[in-house]
Amino acid sequence: MRKQVSEDDAHARLHTLEDEIHACRQALASVRMRRNSLAPAAILPYDILALVFESLALKQPPGLASYCNIAHAQEAMLGWITVTHVCSRWRQVALDVPTLWSTVTPELGDMWFNLLLTRSRSTPISV
Amino acid sequence: MPTIVSVDDSTVPGEGSSRLLLLVSSDNKHIVVEEDIMSRSRFISKQVEGFEATSQRHAILLPFSSFVLNKVIEYCSHYRGYYLLEDDPDAAPPGRSPVREWDQEFLDVDRNMLLRIIKAAHYLEIKSLVGSCARAIADMIRGKTTEEMREILGVENDFTPEEEHSPSSKCTG
């Protein structure tokens, strides 16, 4: 009985600590976002970032891992799309430019095929 | 809205047909440049049109340093008299900016300088320079991992735990 209580107690403490870790991660994200708000590359005007991404998309299209020197194969396959993982503002801008997503790459699989169709909105598609 | 101040005629060298402009940088350096050189800038051209309407002489205050401004003037001087499609307000925008070898050497600068130049070019509405800078930044991060991009450009991962693990987030693109 005493052992059971102890396990319950440990379980509860584990939950508490996980909540604390989650809160720390939230706080860290918030501090990093504030830091990014002062980082020149993170706060470039919308149309400049869009131009950078368009330029990168021409040089490094998804589905062609041989274009890059990336050791991480999954990231390499995504090509220019990796910019959407850099920070929240870059992601926000990239998702907001439908022309970036108008080249559908079957090599990435069905999930990506559908995602690209959604993100390209009403922009004409090229496969 | 641009910031402009009135100046005495004596402040601006050159009279009448010489068409000199006085540009004032954020570090309060006064740089005199021929209007013709800066005509590639839509921003400057619009300012000059405004001056002509009021027949007043003005200095144009710019929100970037003389170091950056001189770099932009160097670019404009190099292409003085050249026709660049991207800078033609009457032309259809090109599908992609052409690669110019001189630009690549000109923009072989560190990250911070490149970011300052592109912001200045954007402010001055020099589309050809903005396009070349955008390509240079793309070249910096081409083929790099997410973490390498952050390091190169000094950006932090600011995604919340929820964003990191949401179905439409980085796990799935």
Side-chain angles (χ1 to χ4, degrees), chain B residues 33-61:
Chain B
V33 61
E34 288 179 63
E35 181 195 323
D36 185 40
I37 290 175
M38 295 310 291
S39 62
R40 191 166 297 285
S41 159
R42 288 289 300 145
F43 173 83
I44 297 285
S45 296
K46 284 184 269 186
Q47 294 303 300
V48 171
E49 283 169 20
F51 298 166
E52 283 166 354
T54 61
S55 70
Q56 280 185 298
R57 306 293 295 274
H58 292 95
I60 303 174
L61 303 188

PDB file of all heavy atoms in Angstrom, chain B residues 33-61:
ATOM      1  N   VAL B  33      25.975  64.242 -54.030  1.00  0.00           N
ATOM      2  CA  VAL B  33      26.029  63.288 -55.135  1.00  0.00           C
ATOM      3  C   VAL B  33      25.211  63.842 -56.297  1.00  0.00           C
ATOM      4  O   VAL B  33      24.224  64.554 -56.087  1.00  0.00           O
ATOM      5  CB  VAL B  33      25.516  61.892 -54.677  1.00  0.00           C
ATOM      6  CG1 VAL B  33      24.075  61.954 -54.216  1.00  0.00           C
ATOM      7  CG2 VAL B  33      25.664  60.844 -55.761  1.00  0.00           C
ATOM      8  N   GLU B  34      25.649  63.520 -57.485  1.00  0.00           N
ATOM      9  CA  GLU B  34      24.910  64.003 -58.657  1.00  0.00           C
ATOM     10  C   GLU B  34      23.561  63.293 -58.734  1.00  0.00           C
ATOM     11  O   GLU B  34      23.477  62.075 -58.541  1.00  0.00           O
ATOM     12  CB  GLU B  34      25.722  63.733 -59.923  1.00  0.00           C
ATOM     13  CG  GLU B  34      26.931  64.648 -60.051  1.00  0.00           C
ATOM     14  CD  GLU B  34      27.740  64.340 -61.301  1.00  0.00           C
ATOM     15  OE1 GLU B  34      27.208  64.503 -62.395  1.00  0.00           O
ATOM     16  OE2 GLU B  34      28.894  63.922 -61.137  1.00  0.00           O
ATOM     17  N   GLU B  35      22.571  64.074 -59.044  1.00  0.00           N
ATOM     18  CA  GLU B  35      21.201  63.528 -59.110  1.00  0.00           C
ATOM     19  C   GLU B  35      21.107  62.380 -60.111  1.00  0.00           C
ATOM     20  O   GLU B  35      20.422  61.386 -59.885  1.00  0.00           O
ATOM     21  CB  GLU B  35      20.243  64.648 -59.507  1.00  0.00           C
ATOM     22  CG  GLU B  35      18.794  64.217 -59.588  1.00  0.00           C
ATOM     23  CD  GLU B  35      17.948  65.234 -60.334  1.00  0.00           C
ATOM     24  OE1 GLU B  35      18.188  66.442 -60.180  1.00  0.00           O
ATOM     25  OE2 GLU B  35      17.063  64.797 -61.077  1.00  0.00           O
ATOM     26  N   ASP B  36      21.854  62.541 -61.198  1.00  0.00           N
ATOM     27  CA  ASP B  36      21.832  61.541 -62.260  1.00  0.00           C
ATOM     28  C   ASP B  36      22.240  60.150 -61.736  1.00  0.00           C
ATOM     29  O   ASP B  36      21.679  59.128 -62.121  1.00  0.00           O
ATOM     30  CB  ASP B  36      22.790  62.011 -63.361  1.00  0.00           C
ATOM     31  CG  ASP B  36      22.738  61.110 -64.561  1.00  0.00           C
ATOM     32  OD1 ASP B  36      21.621  60.687 -64.900  1.00  0.00           O
ATOM     33  OD2 ASP B  36      23.797  60.815 -65.142  1.00  0.00           O
ATOM     34  N   ILE B  37      23.206  60.139 -60.833  1.00  0.00           N
ATOM     35  CA  ILE B  37      23.679  58.862 -60.275  1.00  0.00           C
ATOM     36  C   ILE B  37      22.567  58.203 -59.472  1.00  0.00           C
ATOM     37  O   ILE B  37      22.334  56.996 -59.574  1.00  0.00           O
ATOM     38  CB  ILE B  37      24.922  59.099 -59.384  1.00  0.00           C
ATOM     39  CG1 ILE B  37      26.119  59.477 -60.260  1.00  0.00           C
ATOM     40  CG2 ILE B  37      25.239  57.859 -58.546  1.00  0.00           C
ATOM     41  CD1 ILE B  37      27.369  59.846 -59.471  1.00  0.00           C
ATOM     42  N   MET B  38      21.851  59.027 -58.704  1.00  0.00           N
ATOM     43  CA  MET B  38      20.838  58.464 -57.816  1.00  0.00           C
ATOM     44  C   MET B  38      19.472  58.295 -58.478  1.00  0.00           C
ATOM     45  O   MET B  38      18.510  57.885 -57.818  1.00  0.00           O
ATOM     46  CB  MET B  38      20.696  59.343 -56.565  1.00  0.00           C
ATOM     47  CG  MET B  38      21.937  59.376 -55.681  1.00  0.00           C
ATOM     48  SD  MET B  38      22.581  57.748 -55.271  1.00  0.00           S
ATOM     49  CE  MET B  38      21.297  57.113 -54.194  1.00  0.00           C
ATOM     50  N   SER B  39      19.383  58.589 -59.764  1.00  0.00           N
ATOM     51  CA  SER B  39      18.078  58.505 -60.432  1.00  0.00           C
ATOM     52  C   SER B  39      17.565  57.062 -60.506  1.00  0.00           C
ATOM     53  O   SER B  39      16.398  56.821 -60.793  1.00  0.00           O
ATOM     54  CB  SER B  39      18.162  59.104 -61.836  1.00  0.00           C
ATOM     55  OG  SER B  39      19.081  58.373 -62.612  1.00  0.00           O
ATOM     56  N   ARG B  40      18.454  56.110 -60.247  1.00  0.00           N
ATOM     57  CA  ARG B  40      18.025  54.703 -60.212  1.00  0.00           C
ATOM     58  C   ARG B  40      17.101  54.450 -59.013  1.00  0.00           C
ATOM     59  O   ARG B  40      16.340  53.489 -58.996  1.00  0.00           O
ATOM     60  CB  ARG B  40      19.265  53.803 -60.117  1.00  0.00           C
ATOM     61  CG  ARG B  40      18.979  52.340 -60.346  1.00  0.00           C
ATOM     62  CD  ARG B  40      20.263  51.575 -60.566  1.00  0.00           C
ATOM     63  NE  ARG B  40      20.977  52.000 -61.752  1.00  0.00           N
ATOM     64  CZ  ARG B  40      20.626  51.705 -62.997  1.00  0.00           C
ATOM     65  NH1 ARG B  40      19.580  50.947 -63.217  1.00  0.00           N
ATOM     66  NH2 ARG B  40      21.310  52.150 -64.021  1.00  0.00           N
ATOM     67  N   SER B  41      17.208  55.310 -58.024  1.00  0.00           N
ATOM     68  CA  SER B  41      16.367  55.179 -56.821  1.00  0.00           C
ATOM     69  C   SER B  41      15.024  55.862 -57.060  1.00  0.00           C
ATOM     70  O   SER B  41      14.967  57.073 -57.268  1.00  0.00           O
ATOM     71  CB  SER B  41      17.085  55.824 -55.626  1.00  0.00           C
ATOM     72  OG  SER B  41      16.156  56.144 -54.615  1.00  0.00           O
ATOM     73  N   ARG B  42      13.961  55.088 -56.996  1.00  0.00           N
ATOM     74  CA  ARG B  42      12.623  55.662 -57.177  1.00  0.00           C
ATOM     75  C   ARG B  42      12.324  56.642 -56.043  1.00  0.00           C
ATOM     76  O   ARG B  42      11.695  57.665 -56.233  1.00  0.00           O
ATOM     77  CB  ARG B  42      11.554  54.549 -57.179  1.00  0.00           C
ATOM     78  CG  ARG B  42      11.545  53.686 -58.410  1.00  0.00           C
ATOM     79  CD  ARG B  42      11.024  54.428 -59.635  1.00  0.00           C
ATOM     80  NE  ARG B  42       9.662  54.915 -59.463  1.00  0.00           N
ATOM     81  CZ  ARG B  42       9.199  56.052 -59.978  1.00  0.00           C
ATOM     82  NH1 ARG B  42       9.996  56.842 -60.668  1.00  0.00           N
ATOM     83  NH2 ARG B  42       7.942  56.415 -59.782  1.00  0.00           N
ATOM     84  N   PHE B  43      12.805  56.312 -54.857  1.00  0.00           N
ATOM     85  CA  PHE B  43      12.579  57.175 -53.701  1.00  0.00           C
ATOM     86  C   PHE B  43      13.199  58.556 -53.930  1.00  0.00           C
ATOM     87  O   PHE B  43      12.549  59.582 -53.752  1.00  0.00           O
ATOM     88  CB  PHE B  43      13.181  56.521 -52.444  1.00  0.00           C
ATOM     89  CG  PHE B  43      13.154  57.397 -51.232  1.00  0.00           C
ATOM     90  CD1 PHE B  43      12.020  57.496 -50.451  1.00  0.00           C
ATOM     91  CD2 PHE B  43      14.279  58.137 -50.875  1.00  0.00           C
ATOM     92  CE1 PHE B  43      11.997  58.315 -49.333  1.00  0.00           C
ATOM     93  CE2 PHE B  43      14.262  58.955 -49.758  1.00  0.00           C
ATOM     94  CZ  PHE B  43      13.126  59.054 -48.988  1.00  0.00           C
ATOM     95  N   ILE B  44      14.467  58.571 -54.355  1.00  0.00           N
ATOM     96  CA  ILE B  44      15.162  59.839 -54.584  1.00  0.00           C
ATOM     97  C   ILE B  44      14.481  60.602 -55.731  1.00  0.00           C
ATOM     98  O   ILE B  44      14.276  61.812 -55.640  1.00  0.00           O
ATOM     99  CB  ILE B  44      16.654  59.597 -54.926  1.00  0.00           C
ATOM    100  CG1 ILE B  44      17.377  58.928 -53.747  1.00  0.00           C
ATOM    101  CG2 ILE B  44      17.338  60.896 -55.330  1.00  0.00           C
ATOM    102  CD1 ILE B  44      17.685  59.807 -52.580  1.00  0.00           C
ATOM    103  N   SER B  45      14.114  59.874 -56.785  1.00  0.00           N
ATOM    104  CA  SER B  45      13.476  60.537 -57.934  1.00  0.00           C
ATOM    105  C   SER B  45      12.193  61.231 -57.502  1.00  0.00           C
ATOM    106  O   SER B  45      11.917  62.360 -57.926  1.00  0.00           O
ATOM    107  CB  SER B  45      13.165  59.515 -59.035  1.00  0.00           C
ATOM    108  OG  SER B  45      14.362  58.971 -59.517  1.00  0.00           O
ATOM    109  N   LYS B  46      11.433  60.566 -56.649  1.00  0.00           N
ATOM    110  CA  LYS B  46      10.174  61.168 -56.185  1.00  0.00           C
ATOM    111  C   LYS B  46      10.463  62.416 -55.331  1.00  0.00           C
ATOM    112  O   LYS B  46       9.746  63.403 -55.408  1.00  0.00           O
ATOM    113  CB  LYS B  46       9.352  60.148 -55.393  1.00  0.00           C
ATOM    114  CG  LYS B  46       8.655  59.126 -56.304  1.00  0.00           C
ATOM    115  CD  LYS B  46       7.774  58.189 -55.522  1.00  0.00           C
ATOM    116  CE  LYS B  46       8.498  56.962 -55.083  1.00  0.00           C
ATOM    117  NZ  LYS B  46       7.671  55.936 -54.433  1.00  0.00           N
ATOM    118  N   GLN B  47      11.519  62.331 -54.531  1.00  0.00           N
ATOM    119  CA  GLN B  47      11.898  63.485 -53.712  1.00  0.00           C
ATOM    120  C   GLN B  47      12.252  64.673 -54.592  1.00  0.00           C
ATOM    121  O   GLN B  47      11.833  65.797 -54.352  1.00  0.00           O
ATOM    122  CB  GLN B  47      13.103  63.143 -52.830  1.00  0.00           C
ATOM    123  CG  GLN B  47      12.835  62.101 -51.778  1.00  0.00           C
ATOM    124  CD  GLN B  47      11.699  62.509 -50.874  1.00  0.00           C
ATOM    125  OE1 GLN B  47      11.768  63.524 -50.221  1.00  0.00           O
ATOM    126  NE2 GLN B  47      10.642  61.738 -50.879  1.00  0.00           N
ATOM    127  N   VAL B  48      13.042  64.388 -55.633  1.00  0.00           N
ATOM    128  CA  VAL B  48      13.503  65.461 -56.521  1.00  0.00           C
ATOM    129  C   VAL B  48      12.309  66.103 -57.235  1.00  0.00           C
ATOM    130  O   VAL B  48      12.246  67.324 -57.382  1.00  0.00           O
ATOM    131  CB  VAL B  48      14.538  64.910 -57.528  1.00  0.00           C
ATOM    132  CG1 VAL B  48      14.857  65.943 -58.597  1.00  0.00           C
ATOM    133  CG2 VAL B  48      15.807  64.510 -56.788  1.00  0.00           C
ATOM    134  N   GLU B  49      11.361  65.262 -57.651  1.00  0.00           N
ATOM    135  CA  GLU B  49      10.146  65.804 -58.283  1.00  0.00           C
ATOM    136  C   GLU B  49       9.448  66.770 -57.329  1.00  0.00           C
ATOM    137  O   GLU B  49       8.966  67.819 -57.728  1.00  0.00           O
ATOM    138  CB  GLU B  49       9.188  64.675 -58.662  1.00  0.00           C
ATOM    139  CG  GLU B  49       9.605  63.924 -59.915  1.00  0.00           C
ATOM    140  CD  GLU B  49       8.780  62.654 -60.116  1.00  0.00           C
ATOM    141  OE1 GLU B  49       7.675  62.552 -59.542  1.00  0.00           O
ATOM    142  OE2 GLU B  49       9.267  61.762 -60.838  1.00  0.00           O
ATOM    143  N   GLY B  50       9.423  66.398 -56.073  1.00  0.00           N
ATOM    144  CA  GLY B  50       8.804  67.258 -55.059  1.00  0.00           C
ATOM    145  C   GLY B  50       9.549  68.572 -54.902  1.00  0.00           C
ATOM    146  O   GLY B  50       8.946  69.629 -54.764  1.00  0.00           O
ATOM    147  N   PHE B  51      10.883  68.505 -54.970  1.00  0.00           N
ATOM    148  CA  PHE B  51      11.685  69.730 -54.839  1.00  0.00           C
ATOM    149  C   PHE B  51      11.377  70.676 -56.000  1.00  0.00           C
ATOM    150  O   PHE B  51      11.260  71.882 -55.821  1.00  0.00           O
ATOM    151  CB  PHE B  51      13.180  69.431 -54.879  1.00  0.00           C
ATOM    152  CG  PHE B  51      13.669  68.545 -53.771  1.00  0.00           C
ATOM    153  CD1 PHE B  51      14.923  67.955 -53.846  1.00  0.00           C
ATOM    154  CD2 PHE B  51      12.893  68.303 -52.652  1.00  0.00           C
ATOM    155  CE1 PHE B  51      15.389  67.150 -52.842  1.00  0.00           C
ATOM    156  CE2 PHE B  51      13.362  67.479 -51.634  1.00  0.00           C
ATOM    157  CZ  PHE B  51      14.614  66.900 -51.742  1.00  0.00           C
ATOM    158  N   GLU B  52      11.283  70.085 -57.203  1.00  0.00           N
ATOM    159  CA  GLU B  52      11.054  70.918 -58.382  1.00  0.00           C
ATOM    160  C   GLU B  52       9.716  71.634 -58.279  1.00  0.00           C
ATOM    161  O   GLU B  52       9.577  72.773 -58.690  1.00  0.00           O
ATOM    162  CB  GLU B  52      11.124  70.055 -59.647  1.00  0.00           C
ATOM    163  CG  GLU B  52      12.580  69.726 -60.012  1.00  0.00           C
ATOM    164  CD  GLU B  52      12.715  68.623 -61.037  1.00  0.00           C
ATOM    165  OE1 GLU B  52      11.692  68.016 -61.397  1.00  0.00           O
ATOM    166  OE2 GLU B  52      13.853  68.368 -61.469  1.00  0.00           O
ATOM    167  N   ALA B  53       8.740  70.945 -57.697  1.00  0.00           N
ATOM    168  CA  ALA B  53       7.412  71.539 -57.565  1.00  0.00           C
ATOM    169  C   ALA B  53       7.442  72.751 -56.636  1.00  0.00           C
ATOM    170  O   ALA B  53       6.706  73.706 -56.822  1.00  0.00           O
ATOM    171  CB  ALA B  53       6.426  70.506 -57.045  1.00  0.00           C
ATOM    172  N   THR B  54       8.316  72.705 -55.641  1.00  0.00           N
ATOM    173  CA  THR B  54       8.354  73.811 -54.672  1.00  0.00           C
ATOM    174  C   THR B  54       9.499  74.780 -54.932  1.00  0.00           C
ATOM    175  O   THR B  54       9.615  75.783 -54.255  1.00  0.00           O
ATOM    176  CB  THR B  54       8.526  73.258 -53.245  1.00  0.00           C
ATOM    177  OG1 THR B  54       9.764  72.547 -53.199  1.00  0.00           O
ATOM    178  CG2 THR B  54       7.396  72.337 -52.853  1.00  0.00           C
ATOM    179  N   SER B  55      10.313  74.459 -55.906  1.00  0.00           N
ATOM    180  CA  SER B  55      11.521  75.233 -56.245  1.00  0.00           C
ATOM    181  C   SER B  55      12.375  75.539 -55.011  1.00  0.00           C
ATOM    182  O   SER B  55      13.031  76.558 -54.921  1.00  0.00           O
ATOM    183  CB  SER B  55      11.155  76.526 -56.991  1.00  0.00           C
ATOM    184  OG  SER B  55      10.526  77.436 -56.117  1.00  0.00           O
ATOM    185  N   GLN B  56      12.328  74.650 -54.044  1.00  0.00           N
ATOM    186  CA  GLN B  56      13.166  74.793 -52.852  1.00  0.00           C
ATOM    187  C   GLN B  56      14.302  73.789 -52.904  1.00  0.00           C
ATOM    188  O   GLN B  56      14.206  72.770 -53.580  1.00  0.00           O
ATOM    189  CB  GLN B  56      12.347  74.531 -51.589  1.00  0.00           C
ATOM    190  CG  GLN B  56      11.500  75.706 -51.158  1.00  0.00           C
ATOM    191  CD  GLN B  56      10.820  75.409 -49.846  1.00  0.00           C
ATOM    192  OE1 GLN B  56      10.016  74.488 -49.738  1.00  0.00           O
ATOM    193  NE2 GLN B  56      11.157  76.192 -48.843  1.00  0.00           N
ATOM    194  N   ARG B  57      15.358  74.089 -52.195  1.00  0.00           N
ATOM    195  CA  ARG B  57      16.474  73.148 -52.106  1.00  0.00           C
ATOM    196  C   ARG B  57      16.337  72.380 -50.805  1.00  0.00           C
ATOM    197  O   ARG B  57      16.032  72.947 -49.771  1.00  0.00           O
ATOM    198  CB  ARG B  57      17.806  73.901 -52.117  1.00  0.00           C
ATOM    199  CG  ARG B  57      17.966  74.848 -53.298  1.00  0.00           C
ATOM    200  CD  ARG B  57      18.059  74.078 -54.607  1.00  0.00           C
ATOM    201  NE  ARG B  57      19.254  73.267 -54.646  1.00  0.00           N
ATOM    202  CZ  ARG B  57      20.435  73.717 -55.050  1.00  0.00           C
ATOM    203  NH1 ARG B  57      20.581  74.963 -55.414  1.00  0.00           N
ATOM    204  NH2 ARG B  57      21.487  72.931 -55.081  1.00  0.00           N
ATOM    205  N   HIS B  58      16.546  71.116 -50.866  1.00  0.00           N
ATOM    206  CA  HIS B  58      16.418  70.297 -49.666  1.00  0.00           C
ATOM    207  C   HIS B  58      17.582  69.323 -49.541  1.00  0.00           C
ATOM    208  O   HIS B  58      18.186  68.944 -50.540  1.00  0.00           O
ATOM    209  CB  HIS B  58      15.139  69.450 -49.720  1.00  0.00           C
ATOM    210  CG  HIS B  58      13.895  70.256 -49.628  1.00  0.00           C
ATOM    211  ND1 HIS B  58      13.202  70.667 -50.729  1.00  0.00           N
ATOM    212  CD2 HIS B  58      13.222  70.725 -48.561  1.00  0.00           C
ATOM    213  CE1 HIS B  58      12.135  71.353 -50.347  1.00  0.00           C
ATOM    214  NE2 HIS B  58      12.127  71.408 -49.041  1.00  0.00           N
ATOM    215  N   ALA B  59      17.808  68.951 -48.311  1.00  0.00           N
ATOM    216  CA  ALA B  59      18.675  67.799 -48.068  1.00  0.00           C
ATOM    217  C   ALA B  59      17.749  66.615 -47.791  1.00  0.00           C
ATOM    218  O   ALA B  59      16.656  66.792 -47.254  1.00  0.00           O
ATOM    219  CB  ALA B  59      19.553  68.056 -46.859  1.00  0.00           C
ATOM    220  N   ILE B  60      18.170  65.465 -48.189  1.00  0.00           N
ATOM    221  CA  ILE B  60      17.345  64.270 -47.952  1.00  0.00           C
ATOM    222  C   ILE B  60      17.980  63.479 -46.807  1.00  0.00           C
ATOM    223  O   ILE B  60      19.132  63.040 -46.919  1.00  0.00           O
ATOM    224  CB  ILE B  60      17.249  63.405 -49.225  1.00  0.00           C
ATOM    225  CG1 ILE B  60      16.670  64.253 -50.376  1.00  0.00           C
ATOM    226  CG2 ILE B  60      16.398  62.173 -48.965  1.00  0.00           C
ATOM    227  CD1 ILE B  60      16.665  63.546 -51.713  1.00  0.00           C
ATOM    228  N   LEU B  61      17.244  63.354 -45.723  1.00  0.00           N
ATOM    229  CA  LEU B  61      17.752  62.604 -44.566  1.00  0.00           C
ATOM    230  C   LEU B  61      17.429  61.133 -44.752  1.00  0.00           C
ATOM    231  O   LEU B  61      16.284  60.779 -45.037  1.00  0.00           O
ATOM    232  CB  LEU B  61      17.106  63.102 -43.277  1.00  0.00           C
ATOM    233  CG  LEU B  61      17.242  64.583 -42.925  1.00  0.00           C
ATOM    234  CD1 LEU B  61      16.708  64.834 -41.521  1.00  0.00           C
ATOM    235  CD2 LEU B  61      18.685  65.055 -43.037  1.00  0.00           C
TER     236      LEU B  61
END
